Structure formats: structure tokens, C-alpha cells
Amino acid sequence: YGFINTCLKSLVVEKYGEETWEKLRLQAGVQDSFLTFEVYKDEITMQLVDKACKVLGVPADMVLREFGKYFFEFCKRSGYDHMLRTLGGNLYEFIENLDALHSYLFWLCLFFPQEMNAPSFRVEKNEDGSMHLHYYSDRRGLCHIVPGIIGAAALDFFNTEISMKIVNQTEEEERTGKKEHIVFLVTQNPVFPYKERNEFSSSPQYPVDSEKQIENQLTKEDLEKAKSTIGDKGNSVCPVKKSHWKTLRGIITLGKGKLLRGFDPVYPKSLWIDTKTFCNGLPFHMVFDKELKVKQAGVSIQKIVPGLQTMGICLDHYFKIIHPEVPFTISSIQKFINSQFVFQTRREMMPESWKERPMLELRGQMMWMESLQCMLYLCSPLLRTLHELEERQMHIADIAPHDVTRDLILLNQQRLAEMELSNQLERKKEELRILSKHLEEEKKKTEALLYAMLPQHVANQLKEGKRVEAGEFKECTILFSDVVTFTNICAQCEPIQIVLMLNSMYLRFDRLTTVHDVYKVETIGDAYMVVGGVPVPVPTHAERVANFALGMIMAAKGVQNPVSGNPIQIRVGIHTGPVLAGVVGEKMPRYCLFGDTVNIASRMESHGVPSKIHLSSSAYQCLKYKNFEITERGEIEVKGKGKMHTYFLIRNKTATENEIMGRP
């Protein structure tokens, strides 16, 4: 169910981070979030645990034990703190009532839907103060969660550290079906003295074996003092404002500060209730002997199952045990006598009027009467809603006025409506989360597309509706390139061949802009323009553009000329100088560069040589001491500029080809 998987996710995220959870869930092949009250396959939980062991490099028993501790804290944080605290006054009582808690949650349909089967616990005291905890479960391999949960509860509620070790592990044959049956030996060690214990508990918490030690310490003199104290003070020692525990201490706290703990009930010499009143007052009780023969039954259960009016019939002919899953024998019932028992009527033994109705279930407590050698089953109908009551054609009046089942049915009707609303809200929340995630992904795609067209800071300003002012850059390096004989290639090829050739070339060049961190300004036909030092000024703008240019020459060798089948040849021109940069246009706005530097860089390209990188004198001045091999071309006539002294960039003396191309 979702609560367990959500807790497991919370543990991984809290202790190891979101990245670890993402890696773990992808390996397990499960979704990112789980609905709290939704039922999920057990395989999902087992898969998550298995992948957690591999990802974290931790053995399964340690992962499960840590999960058990965290699950206890997660339950407390989720609002079940007080419910857990009130299960028992010591660890024995706490464990003894875990099945009752599961039964209650099942009754409310909070955790365990009809098709699910919760684990079961049975605890036995040993003479040395230790306990044997019997754990039964349909789900094999999860037993190591138990020490984590029980250990955390013992430390938090009872200030007791415990050690738990497995002393027996079998497939249980006493219960119906094959179940995992683990027996733990539990030993306790109190952490703090009584006075330092957590005041959050509703009553003093003593270790199971400490009560005898306290009683043994009491002397006859102490007892006499206690008696005289009670005799002298009478009722005056019980101020109204004191809690029941302060009142108790006021009566039986002795001079030496020892607390007398003991209670002996008083029973009447004979039972002051007649048989008829008993059967009417407890309308759903049954008494049966060792042979399961019915000796007595309440009036309401007789009305529903008329066969019970024949005393001496066998109870297992009319009922089967649903929980705990044990054979219908006195010995099995006695072994699990501290558990709540759920009986279900057998369809074949019910009156004709019941044949089409859902079978009645009873839930209650077993009590062994040693003197009569009989078992008393005190029970009530197990009904969750008014709808279930109507399905069985029963009425509130069929349930005894003192039975809280009447109130719980009415309360749960509202509770189920609230749960359904909560489930709907949780589903809507999950849908919104998924939509938000998809929206965020689409937003990132849109931003990536926008940032490919404009510098990031410029794009952000435009998104915010701000006007982008033009900026002046005192020094930057601009590169132009084009394909040699591109016009002839276009004349001899199909348009699609030209598109494929240019796309192959530009994909390579675009990757290099990322490798060398230069900004791609634009492409027009076969012309490719990049700049270094714009829009973010950097002192290494010339070196970046030079390395990018060397990469372009290498990358062009991998692009095929569709006419000749040989690698294409490109010309590259580079110039360094000042520019003005800004955004122009509202429809498809572009980040453009303006100034004479752009013109000279373009002239370096157009007056260049195939497969060569043509440098202006200003670009040469920036690179001559930067570990580049450069040769002098000399003076050439440049259109519109007259004579210019230019150079060729040959190679980077310190960088390898793989480094230039950005390959590992």
C-alpha cells in the first residue's frame, strides 16, 4: 500500500538525497510517488528494497532494520503517535495489542483493504524477564523490519533498549496456508531510571520484570506504615485536582519512597445474574467446550443462526475462523487467545433468507474458563458501514445498547466519506504534480530553444518584458567561414542534398561552440559566424575562437561533398576589435553585432585560402604569445580596406586533436 512505499521514499530522500531516490526508482522501474491509501503490488516494495541494497551497497537485513526504525518515526509524524502510545503500559502489552491495532485499522479500511492480510504477533513471557515474539506474515523476507520497529518503540515509549535475535524460522503449518513464522528472543535493558523517563507517557512504564523486584524490596514495616497512612488519612489524601497516579502515590507511597504496586480483585460468592438476562444483555456471545460443542449463545446470534438453538451442536459446522488464520481447535485458539478472533458464518448452514446476503462476521475476545473447561467468545457484529448493516438486513436495534459498535458504525460512515474526499484530493494533487512536471519539462525545452536564438541574459530580459539596451564591447574576436565552391555545388545537386550537407556540417560546428564556449551569432546559407568575448566579456576570447577554428577545419573533413564525394573545404577568417551588440526586431528578434570589426572579419574569410584560417594583424597580436603556430602571409589587397598584413593559423602547439574536438 502507498503508505509503506511513501515511507521508503521519504527515508531514501531524507538520508541519501533526491538523486539517489531517482536512481533507485528508475532501476526498480516504479513511479515517483504513491497514493497513501492506494493498494500496490508487494513486488513494488520488494523491488525497491532490493535495488536499495544494490544502490546503497548495504545488506538487506540492515536496510530493512533501518526502514523499520524510520517507519516507526514516520507513523508518529503522520498522526499515529498517541494511538501507538496507548497500546500498552509496557513493551509486553504494546506487542500483545499490535494485532488489535491492525484489526482496528482494518475495520476502518484505513490501511488494510479486504484482500490484504496484515502480519500477526504473539508474545510469550519467560521467567528471566525476556520474551519470545512470534511473527507471522504472508510476505517472506521482511522479518528484519520487526526489530527496527519494536526497538524504536521500546526506546521511545518505554526508555528501554532491546536486543532481538532470531531463534527459529519456519513455514507455519498451524495456520491455514503457508506462512512465514519467525521467533525472536527479546531481551530488555532500561536506559534511564524511572524519574528520568519520558513524561510524555500517560502512565509510569516499568519493565516487565521490575514489578517483582519492587515488591520484594517492601518490608513488613513498610506495609504497616502504608496501612496506618491509609487509616489515618482516609479519603483526604485524594485532592480532586491530582491525577489518578498522584492520588495512588499519595495513598501507597511509603516512607522510604517505595511504591507498592498490587491489586487483588474481589469476586462475589455467587453470580448475581440470571441466565436469561445474561443472554439478552450479551446478545452475541457463545460458550463452547473442548469438543467445540455449543453450551450457550446470545439471543441475537441465535436469531441470525437458528442452528445454535440446538445446544450441543459443533460450532465449526456453523462458523469458520477468519482471523487469526488458525485451525478451528481449542488448542489453536488457546495459543492465540490474546488475539482478536473474527468468525464468519458458513453459507451452507445459514437459513434460506441469508443465502443471497453477504455472510455475517463476528469480532471479539476469547476467554478460557478453567473451572468449566469451556471457552467464552464475547463478540459483536463486524460491520463497518450502514450499507453493510442493510446488506445483511440487520438493524441498529439488533446490537446491544452498551455495545460501542452502534456508535462506530455511525461514526465510520462519516469517516469513510472524509476518506473518499481525502483520496480524491490526493489523486488531484498527484495529477497536478504530474502536469506541473510536464509543464516544467516543456518550459525547459522552450527556454533551450530561446537560449539557442539569443544570449540567456538577453532572453530573460525579453521574457520579463524589459527593453534590451545595446552594449559596447571594446575587444572581441569574430570568425566567419564559408564552403569553397558552394555556388557550383548548389547548381549540380538537388536541394535536399544541400540541406543534408549543411545540416551535417552545422551540427558538428554547433557542438564545437559548446566545447570552446563561443557564441554562435548566425548562419546565412553556407556562412557561419561566431564571436568570442560577446555577450560575456572574457580575456581569452581570441584563444577560444582560434581553437574553435582549428576544430572547424578538422570537422569539415567528415562532411562529404555531394558532387565529388570528397570532403568539403571551408575558408575561415578571424579578426579582433571593438563591436556594438544589441537585439533588433520584434518578430523573430536577433542578437546582432555592428561595427567595422564585423566587416574586416568577413573580408578575412572572403580573401582566405581553402582549408586555411586567415588572421588579421590584430588577431595575430592577441595570439602570438599563446602557444599557437602562425605563419605570415604578407600584405594583400583587401576590398574596401586597401593593403593589409595578414597571417595563417596552423595549429595549437599544446593541445591534442581530441582536446580541440572535445573528445574524451
Side-chain angles (χ1 to χ4, degrees):
Y1 32 87
F3 189 80
I4 292 289
N5 295 333
T6 301
C7 175
L8 189 54
K9 174 187 175 180
S10 181
L11 169 64
V12 174
V13 171
E14 191 172 304
K15 295 208 169 185
Y16 303 99
E18 284 278 3
E19 298 79 11
T20 304
W21 164 252
E22 190 66 19
K23 181 180 178 182
L24 191 155
R25 80 165 189 86
L26 288 173
Q27 288 190 18
V30 302
Q31 64 265 47
D32 183 43
S33 59
F34 306 90
L35 299 178
T36 302
F37 303 125
E38 192 78 19
V39 179
Y40 296 91
K41 292 181 179 179
D42 288 343
E43 289 78 8
I44 292 178
T45 306
M46 299 304 296
Q47 190 78 345
L48 284 171
V49 171
D50 178 59
K51 296 304 177 186
C53 296
K54 293 177 180 176
V55 171
L56 303 176
V58 179
D61 59 334
M62 288 183 65
V63 169
L64 291 171
R65 188 180 291 262
E66 190 66 26
F67 173 69
K69 292 178 185 177
Y70 189 83
F71 181 69
F72 172 75
E73 293 298 329
F74 190 78
C75 288
K76 285 174 60 184
R77 292 204 303 263
S78 300
Y80 298 98
D81 184 22
H82 288 92
M83 185 186 293
L84 291 169
R85 283 184 185 279
T86 55
L87 281 185
N90 54 51
L91 186 60
Y92 176 83
E93 292 174 357
F94 177 84
I95 299 172
E96 193 177 44
N97 284 283
L98 279 176
D99 275 15
L101 176 63
H102 284 155
S103 177
Y104 169 74
L105 295 175
F106 173 84
W107 189 85
L108 285 180
C109 297
L110 286 178
F111 281 122
F112 309 116
Q114 299 281 354
E115 66 271 17
M116 296 185 68
N117 194 7
S120 181
F121 299 89
R122 180 165 63 88
V123 64
E124 299 170 342
K125 288 183 183 179
N126 300 323
E127 290 183 1
D128 61 356
S130 63
M131 295 181 285
H132 277 112
L133 171 59
H134 296 258
Y135 164 76
Y136 304 87
S137 177
D138 284 339
R139 298 165 185 85
R140 291 172 178 80
L142 298 178
C143 64
H144 294 289
I145 293 177
V146 178
I149 296 176
I150 301 298
L155 189 60
D156 192 304
F157 294 163
F158 312 114
N159 291 316
T160 301
E161 284 187 346
I162 65 168
S163 64
M164 293 180 66
K165 65 177 182 178
I166 297 174
V167 294
N168 194 14
Q169 185 169 359
T170 59
E171 284 195 340
E172 180 61 50
E173 295 180 0
E174 293 179 6
R175 290 156 64 92
T176 306
K178 295 291 185 182
K179 311 285 181 181
E180 186 175 62
H181 176 196
I182 310 292
V183 183
F184 295 95
L185 176 64
V186 184
T187 54
Q188 303 180 70
N189 298 299
V191 179
F192 308 114
Y194 170 71
K195 290 182 180 177
E196 298 176 16
R197 291 186 179 181
N198 196 339
E199 293 180 2
F200 216 28
S201 295
S202 59
S203 62
Q205 313 297 341
Y206 289 91
V208 177
D209 58 347
S210 65
E211 295 179 18
K212 292 182 180 179
Q213 295 173 7
I214 294 170
E215 291 175 5
N216 290 337
Q217 292 171 0
L218 297 173
T219 64
K220 290 182 179 180
E221 184 183 348
D222 295 329
L223 293 172
E224 291 301 324
K225 285 183 181 179
K227 289 178 182 177
S228 64
T229 302
I230 297 170
D232 293 342
K233 296 185 178 179
N235 295 331
S236 64
V237 297
C238 304
V240 175
K241 291 183 180 179
K242 285 188 177 182
S243 70
H244 66 283
W245 276 105
K246 288 181 179 178
T247 300
L248 185 60
R249 290 193 188 96
I251 296 174
I252 58 175
T253 300
L254 306 179
K256 294 181 180 179
K258 298 173 183 175
L259 191 65
L260 175 63
R261 287 169 56 87
F263 169 71
D264 292 321
V266 176
Y267 299 104
K269 292 181 180 179
S270 60
L271 190 62
W272 287 89
I273 183 170
D274 62 79
T275 307
K276 187 175 180 181
T277 302
F278 191 90
C279 290
N280 280 293
L282 298 171
F284 283 96
H285 83 278
M286 289 180 281
V287 177
F288 53 96
D289 63 13
K290 287 184 175 181
E291 284 75 38
L292 304 181
K293 291 182 179 179
V294 177
K295 300 295 184 182
Q296 182 177 311
V299 293
S300 291
I301 192 64
Q302 291 180 38
K303 178 182 173 183
I304 296 169
V305 187
L308 295 178
Q309 292 182 310
T310 307
M311 297 305 160
I313 58 105
C314 286
L315 190 64
D316 60 339
H317 291 172
Y318 287 85
F319 294 92
K320 56 185 176 181
I321 300 177
I322 302 299
H323 178 82
E325 296 181 32
V326 296
F328 211 139
T329 63
I330 282 289
S331 60
S332 296
I333 293 172
Q334 285 179 324
K335 186 175 285 189
F336 289 84
I337 200 162
N338 290 323
S339 299
Q340 286 192 338
F341 276 77
V342 178
F343 281 13
Q344 186 184 69
T345 53
R346 293 186 182 274
R347 189 173 295 278
E348 64 272 16
M349 302 301 290
M350 294 295 285
E352 283 297 324
S353 59
W354 271 83
K355 295 290 185 181
E356 302 302 321
R357 304 181 206 170
M359 289 297 96
L360 177 67
E361 290 184 356
L362 303 171
R363 180 185 62 182
Q365 172 187 8
M366 293 289 182
M367 301 181 72
W368 176 246
M369 298 180 288
E370 185 65 31
S371 60
L372 298 176
Q373 291 291 292
C374 287
M375 188 72 74
L376 169 63
Y377 182 39
L378 287 172
C379 57
S380 300
L382 181 55
L383 299 169
R384 298 172 181 82
T385 62
L386 292 172
H387 178 66
E388 290 184 5
L389 191 74
E390 291 171 344
E391 278 185 326
R392 291 154 180 81
Q393 295 185 14
M394 293 176 64
H395 304 86
I396 293 289
D398 293 326
I399 304 170
H402 62 78
D403 193 337
V404 294
T405 303
R406 296 163 66 112
D407 300 320
L408 288 173
I409 290 173
L410 298 173
L411 286 171
N412 201 39
Q413 190 71 24
Q414 181 182 355
R415 175 68 174 169
L416 289 174
E418 291 173 355
M419 275 185 56
E420 180 57 33
L421 181 60
S422 175
N423 285 339
Q424 289 179 11
L425 288 173
E426 198 168 356
R427 289 191 186 95
K428 291 295 181 186
K429 181 182 175 182
E430 179 62 14
E431 289 174 9
L432 286 173
R433 189 192 67 80
I434 293 170
L435 286 173
S436 177
K437 186 178 178 181
H438 289 163
L439 182 63
E440 190 62 29
E441 289 172 357
E442 292 302 319
K443 182 183 175 185
K444 286 179 180 178
K445 290 178 185 177
T446 304
E447 287 181 344
L449 186 60
L450 184 60
Y451 295 155
M453 298 170 61
L454 295 167
Q456 187 168 337
H457 75 281
V458 172
N460 290 337
Q461 284 181 282
L462 290 174
K463 281 197 300 181
E464 293 169 7
K466 296 178 181 177
R467 183 179 176 182
V468 182
E469 299 292 338
E472 184 179 353
F473 296 85
K474 292 183 178 179
E475 188 174 75
C476 67
T477 299
I478 297 175
L479 173 149
F480 277 93
S481 74
D482 74 343
V483 177
V484 177
T485 66
F486 181 70
T487 306
N488 295 336
I489 295 172
C490 290
Q492 300 177 49
C493 293
E494 294 293 326
I496 188 63
Q497 291 178 293
I498 303 300
V499 170
L500 292 174
M501 180 192 76
L502 291 177
N503 186 55
S504 175
M505 181 177 70
Y506 288 161
L507 285 175
R508 289 170 166 80
F509 292 174
D510 289 347
R511 192 183 70 81
L512 288 171
T513 62
T514 304
V515 172
H516 298 290
D517 197 15
V518 293
Y519 179 68
K520 175 184 174 182
V521 181
E522 62 181 347
T523 57
I524 302 174
D526 65 324
Y528 195 92
M529 177 183 178
V530 300
V531 61
V534 176
V536 181
V538 288
T540 57
H541 55 85
E543 297 97 296
R544 294 184 184 192
V545 173
N547 285 323
F548 173 78
L550 292 169
M552 291 179 82
I553 299 296
M554 297 174 190
K557 295 176 181 176
V559 181
Q560 194 177 52
N561 184 327
V563 176
S564 63
N566 298 322
I568 62 169
Q569 290 184 306
I570 62 171
R571 283 188 297 261
V572 180
I574 298 175
H575 176 62
T576 298
V579 295
L580 191 70
V583 177
V584 293
E586 289 184 355
K587 262 193 176 181
M588 294 184 65
R590 299 297 302 170
Y591 188 70
C592 298
L593 306 182
F594 303 94
D596 196 45
T597 301
V598 179
N599 297 329
I600 296 173
S602 178
R603 294 287 184 266
M604 290 298 102
E605 174 266 312
S606 60
H607 290 75
V609 177
S611 298
K612 293 281 188 179
I613 301 168
H614 196 196
L615 302 178
S616 68
S617 58
S618 62
Y620 166 74
Q621 292 298 324
C622 289
L623 295 174
K624 64 179 178 178
Y625 301 118
K626 304 292 185 181
N627 293 317
F628 288 96
E629 183 180 333
I630 301 172
T631 60
E632 186 177 358
R633 184 180 185 183
E635 278 194 355
I636 62 169
E637 186 70 31
V638 177
K639 183 180 178 182
K641 294 297 175 182
K643 293 187 180 295
M644 291 185 69
H645 209 84
T646 60
Y647 303 82
F648 287 124
L649 175 64
I650 307 302
R651 66 187 181 93
N652 186 318
K653 296 177 183 178
T654 58
T656 64
E657 181 176 328
N658 285 338
E659 288 173 333
I660 294 292
M661 296 301 294
R663 293 192 289 253

